[in-house]
Amino acid sequence: MHLTNDEERILKGEGGEGAQRAMELLVAIGDAFDAKGMIPISRAHAASSGQEGDLFFVEILAKGKAKCKVLTTTNPVVDFDYFQNLINISEEHEEASVAWKVKDYYRQIGAVMSQSCIPYLAENIPQYGEHVAFSESSATPYVNSVIGALTNRESIQTALAAGIIGKTPEYGLHFQENRKGTALVKVECDLKDGFDYSILGQYVGKEVGYGIPVFTGIKKVPTIDQYINLCAMMNTSGAIPMFHIPGITVESRTIDEAFGGEKPKDVITVTSRELKQTEESLQSTSKDIDTVILGCPHYNLDQIAKVASLLKGKKLKQDVSFWVNTSATTKILAERAGYVMDIESSGARVIVDTCIDMFCWNNLRGKTGMTDSPKCAYYRRFGDVRVGSVEECVASATRS
Ligand code: F3S
């Protein structure tokens, strides 16, 4: 890979050891993908996990005095204030101490502690045509497809290294010719809400595997939560960095344009039968539930408004817990709108900065959980799981 004089100097360590390690990683990735050089990025999002692998790299960067060159936001870890009172989190708690250290090192390198997995709605919003480095399941396909920014499917570490250097190797989706569709997905059923989009995403991700789906048959412009769910689930059950809905998403007006004039490699048809089968395959039990977890990905304000309207005036069943995960910025607005009060009056809780894939849920092991997210079900910290719409989650958790 060709490096400029400045890039060579960083690689030799003249910009400090942290920047050197970041550059080494980017050069290795660039070489692996035959990149000819680097391209400047305007922003990054690191899907920080607060776990050992995350700690390993960010500690090297922080101890090597690296600093983010462009806005770099972070994923949720744990709402320590909330869980402190619920489970025994202390400095001696091994997983908690890893998560604490991770947060501290991210602060030291100048990352923004947004701790949201939907940063593209508030804290870190790319514009059309921007080259960026975004990791996180919903974030990569959302910014590529809905916004029209350009990012590869980054890991925590490559996104972080790109944020430190302000550049990324130029390969893959940074080139327009690599953003063409690969699979035609004919949707031959109605998609009525965000949950249907989650199930669609779950099915399409599995069927396509790695590729760029082009959807036909989607008649209405999806809402933001529908887009988020589609992106998150396709990029969890599969590895889908972007998609097109010709005439709706920004990079293609027609099917032909979406495929760049080429023929699709695969054709997949989705009817209500596939959606039903997919939904059924996600259920591991039909037992009564002990707990509900919503907000994987983090709920946006519209979704919180909906749960608030469903929970208003109701009470949770005895011994049933109910959590709604969101970002700190969204919770402030939800509090101002009265949504948090409506939700919490039922006994449910709205919490921030937290991801389902964290130790703070360990006490749910063995319990029966319910969620509206196939991704949450996949990462489940509880025992058995039911997956249903938000209406079904509320109906199962509340007294009639
Ligand atoms: Fe977000 Fe964690 Fe789910 S990052 S999408 S809450 S697994």
Side-chain angles (χ1 to χ4, degrees), residues 75-76 117 136-137 232 295-298 325 354-357 375-376 379:
N75 247 30
C117 45
E136 178 50 31
S137 62
C296 171
H298 276 179
N325 288 287
T354 305
C355 165
I356 181 61
D357 190 26
K375 183 173 178 185
C376 179
Y379 278 127

